[in-house]
């Protein structure tokens, strides 16, 4: 069974870069037709998809966050990483990593438990 676990700092200062890692177990991130996403939920708001990295290493980002977002992977560690630059308090949220299997990258089969990130000086 595929399991995902987020890790990273819980507090980031404004203007700095938020960096989170998702470790995947029970399956390989390079398995065909798997898509690995980052999603967040800010206080009082719904889920916001940030972007994904595919099994082949290609990436797609949300247009609203594209200029500040980078998703990469380390296949040797079976991990993928989110970097969000120039953060503001508006980026405070619970961040989730998720995996989708099949033709729809937005139909998530697997979720991490989420990690709280607060942007504050």
């Amino acid at each position: 069974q595929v399991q995902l676990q987020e890790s990273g700092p819980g507090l980031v200062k404004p203007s700095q870069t938020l960096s989170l890692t998702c470790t995947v177990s029970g399956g390989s991130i390079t398995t065909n037709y798997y898509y690995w996403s980052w999603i967040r939920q800010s206080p009082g708001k719904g889920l916001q998809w940030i972007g994904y990295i595919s099994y082949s290493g290609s990436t797609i980002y949300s247009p609203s966050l594209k200029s500040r977002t980078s998703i990469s992977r380390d296949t040797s560690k079976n991990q993928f990483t989110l970097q969000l630059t120039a953060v503001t308090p508006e980026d405070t949220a619970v961040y989730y990593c998720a995996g989708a299997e099949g033709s729809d990258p937005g139909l998530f089969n697997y979720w991490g438990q989420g990690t709280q990130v607060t942007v504050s000086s």
Side-chain angles (χ1 to χ4, degrees):
Q1 182 175 349
V2 176
Q3 294 183 319
L4 290 79
Q5 178 66 59
E6 304 91 349
S7 60
L11 180 64
V12 183
K13 292 185 180 341
S15 81
Q16 292 188 341
T17 296
L18 180 161
S19 184
L20 296 173
T21 295
C22 183
T23 300
V24 179
S25 60
S28 171
I29 62 172
T30 62
T31 299
N32 281 351
Y33 311 118
Y34 275 71
Y35 301 86
W36 307 99
S37 284
W38 286 99
I39 300 142
R40 70 183 184 181
Q41 186 167 27
S42 302
K45 296 184 179 179
L47 294 171
Q48 180 183 23
W49 175 75
I50 300 169
Y52 74 67
I53 186 164
S54 77
Y55 59 95
S56 66
S58 61
T59 53
I60 298 289
Y61 303 124
S62 167
S64 65
L65 295 169
K66 184 177 181 179
S67 64
R68 300 194 291 128
T69 304
S70 177
I71 299 175
S72 59
R73 66 181 184 173
D74 185 335
T75 57
S76 68
K77 295 181 180 178
N78 216 36
Q79 296 174 333
F80 61 105
T81 298
L82 167 70
Q83 289 197 314
L84 185 65
T85 63
V87 297
T88 73
E90 295 286 308
D91 295 307
T92 293
V94 177
Y95 285 76
Y96 299 91
C97 57
E101 175 187 357
S103 60
D104 186 348
L107 191 61
F108 304 115
N109 304 94
Y110 315 105
W111 288 81
Q113 65 183 23
T115 187
Q116 173 71 47
V117 177
T118 300
V119 179
S120 175
S121 55

